[in-house]
Amino acid sequence: MSYTVINPATGAPVTEVAHLDVDATDAAITHAVRAQRDWASVAPADRARVLRRFADAVDADVEHLAQLETVNSGHPITQSRWEAGHVRDVLEYYSGSPERLIGQQIPVAGGMNVTFHEPLGVVGVITPWNFPMTIASWGFAPALAAGNAVVLKPAEWTPLTSLRLGELALEAGLPEGLFQVLAGRGSVVGERFVTNPSVRKVVFTGSTEVGKRIMAGCADQVKRVTLELGGKSANIVFADADIERAAATAPYSVFDNAGQDCCARSRLLVQRSVYDRFMEHFERAVQGVRVGDPTLESTEVGPLVTQAHRESVAGFLTDDVPVAFRGSCPDGPGAWFAPTVVTPERGSRIATEEVFGPVVSVLPFEDEADALHLANDSDFGLSGSIWTSDLGRGIRVARGVEGGNLSVNSHSSVRYTTPFGGFKQSGLGRELGPDAAEHFTETKNVFFASE
């Protein structure tokens, strides 16, 4: 069985990718078990050295990876280059972890206790189609650094850069079987990560619906899970903010990657007293977003990932949804969708459900209390932004918003060097930053008697 990869900008077939069945998946996991035992015995400094070589191999292949991502996912080439460089940076960052998995000496009566961080074993990483390279690296880099083996299942639509990263890992000297990329269906390969007892942890990024099923399946073996799920994040603009700046950056908080981003600020909350002024500036900003051929350096936003996903996004724009204005996009073949601004009623489907496309709902609010009520009136809590010139308000609202990754006077909040988590149905256990490798270990406690 295989899948035909389609270029979303042209609709043309790119290549065929073979899919693994259950038996092949189990064989790969068995290979990973053997490779992990040897990897765990490698000295921390040597493990770090191999990861740095992996980073160097990615660095030498950045342009190739970027071209693959643009053809496969439709990302603008400048974004794809940044993403490939990001994978290199993540590997370099976590290559410092093997020598820093430091335990504790704990004084107790009759002796002392010592803690060790022991690798889990085999980690299954299941990645989405929206950011194939970057999100994969957030899982496999700290997992490898902690002494684990990794089996990575990329999304069916966008496997090409993940497969290339698997090749680069071998070229860099990672042992065979230690980092394997297994293309296939989620119901086959991904499900086997959940049910095979040799996989000790599953890292999943994707829809809340699927995440719930994975969490339930892992419970049968008390298997660890990390989940980054859906979002319907708020971008809150108060009347005392720099309105022009907030309006100018707002398109990039929701339309980057054609809105295919769990952290997209797809609910734009604007204080009523400045609503009309904000919308005037926002309309000019939206119409200035350059949507087009992703191979061009000047393009800011490419197509949606597939025609099927385009139909899903379009399905939210029913006749009763008020459209304030739109940007522009190419005609012809390709999964194109113009940036779209809607002004729905509170509680409507498009204002509460994750569209996962270049559509933003603009909703007015009265005061700070109303803004917090509206921002938190959601099943999700992944990210968000707050715009205000009042530092006290920025702190209060940031503490009050039920979200894991917030920014004040900026549309960006996610960095691999800092923790990253979600509230409510947006995730569980996703941690980046300096302690990420510890989330791929067991803590072992040993008592040494002194009497």
Side-chain angles (χ1 to χ4, degrees):
M1 184 177 179
S2 64
Y3 174 77
T4 303
V5 174
I6 302 296
N7 184 329
T10 65
V14 177
T15 188
E16 294 281 328
V17 173
H19 278 186
L20 275 66
D21 60 16
V22 171
D23 290 341
T25 302
D26 279 341
I29 292 169
T30 299
H31 195 185
V33 170
R34 293 194 295 266
Q36 189 275 328
R37 290 173 185 152
D38 293 336
W39 180 244
S41 67
V42 172
D46 293 331
R47 202 186 304 157
R49 192 172 295 111
V50 174
L51 291 176
R52 286 194 292 270
R53 288 205 302 266
F54 190 4
D56 291 342
V58 172
D59 186 51
D61 205 59
V62 161
E63 186 61 27
H64 181 211
L65 285 165
Q67 295 292 339
L68 280 177
E69 199 67 270
T70 293
V71 167
N72 191 176
S73 305
H75 294 186
I77 188 61
T78 53
Q79 176 182 325
S80 295
R81 289 184 185 125
W82 180 90
E83 290 168 1
H86 181 90
V87 175
R88 172 205 61 219
D89 294 344
V90 171
L91 279 164
E92 288 181 345
Y93 183 80
Y94 289 114
S95 70
S97 295
E99 297 174 276
R100 292 169 176 79
L101 285 170
I102 300 167
Q104 293 177 302
Q105 180 270 321
I106 307 170
V108 294
M112 70 174 182
N113 273 58
V114 177
T115 63
F116 301 90
H117 291 290
E118 303 288 2
L120 296 170
V122 178
V123 174
V125 178
I126 305 171
T127 55
W129 46 259
N130 57 330
F131 292 104
M133 286 190 285
T134 56
I135 291 177
S137 70
W138 296 352
F140 71 68
L144 291 169
N148 302 287
V150 172
V151 284
L152 167 65
K153 193 207 87 66
E156 295 165 48
W157 291 344
T158 57
L160 298 187
T161 50
S162 294
L163 290 167
R164 179 57 182 157
L165 287 171
E167 296 171 352
L168 292 171
L170 288 174
E171 292 175 14
L174 268 71
E176 282 198 31
L178 187 69
F179 176 45
Q180 300 174 73
V181 180
L182 313 181
R185 295 182 62 82
S187 58
V188 178
V189 179
E191 179 66 18
R192 198 62 186 124
F193 289 1
V194 173
T195 58
N196 189 313
S198 293
V199 177
R200 302 293 299 278
K201 177 172 182 173
V202 174
V203 178
F204 171 77
T205 303
S207 72
T208 297
E209 178 186 3
V210 175
K212 289 178 180 179
R213 294 205 299 269
I214 288 174
M215 189 176 182
C218 287
D220 186 58
Q221 297 173 21
V222 196
K223 184 178 297 190
R224 293 189 181 195
V225 291
T226 286
L227 304 172
E228 182 202 334
L229 307 175
K232 191 70 176 179
S233 301
N235 187 3
I236 308 170
V237 181
F238 286 95
D240 66 345
D242 182 335
I243 299 301
E244 291 188 21
R245 183 175 170 223
T249 61
Y252 304 99
S253 73
V254 64
F255 300 142
D256 267 359
N257 202 36
Q260 300 166 131
D261 183 354
C262 297
C263 289
R265 279 68 163 160
S266 54
R267 289 184 300 151
L268 182 50
L269 315 184
V270 183
Q271 194 156 17
R272 193 178 297 277
S273 61
V274 293
Y275 181 90
D276 291 340
R277 181 158 67 95
F278 177 89
M279 290 295 275
E280 289 176 8
H281 292 295
F282 187 42
E283 182 171 10
R284 286 196 294 272
V286 169
Q287 291 174 348
V289 174
R290 296 187 294 274
V291 182
D293 182 350
T295 66
L296 298 179
E297 301 274 345
S298 59
T299 295
E300 294 178 306
V301 176
L304 292 171
V305 67
T306 64
Q307 286 290 353
H309 185 57
R310 186 192 181 285
E311 292 174 9
S312 173
V313 172
F316 280 86
L317 294 171
T318 53
D319 291 341
D320 59 333
V321 174
V323 176
F325 46 85
R326 289 187 170 94
S328 61
C329 69
D331 296 322
W336 299 105
F337 203 99
T340 303
V341 179
V342 299
T343 53
E345 295 293 326
R346 294 188 182 195
S348 61
R349 176 177 180 240
I350 200 168
T352 57
E353 295 184 18
E354 187 174 35
V355 178
F356 221 63
V359 179
V360 61
S361 296
V362 187
L363 302 165
F365 67 86
E366 301 300 333
D367 54 23
E368 188 175 313
D370 190 34
L372 279 171
H373 171 76
L374 185 53
N376 292 333
D377 187 20
S378 172
D379 292 333
F380 303 109
L382 191 57
S383 64
S385 295
I386 301 146
W387 291 85
T388 177
S389 62
D390 182 337
L391 178 59
R393 171 180 283 148
I395 294 171
R396 286 193 308 273
V397 175
R399 293 296 302 274
V401 171
E402 296 170 343
N405 310 279
L406 304 175
S407 61
V408 177
N409 295 330
S410 170
H411 69 280
S412 174
S413 59
V414 177
R415 292 164 179 80
Y416 62 87
T417 54
T418 57
F420 174 29
F423 282 40
K424 298 185 281 190
Q425 295 188 32
S426 281
L428 174 73
R430 162 71 83 195
E431 293 293 344
L432 299 176
D435 299 324
E438 293 184 13
H439 295 276
F440 293 89
T441 64
E442 294 277 12
T443 300
K444 178 182 290 182
N445 181 64
V446 182
F447 171 67
F448 291 88
S450 61
E451 298 175 352

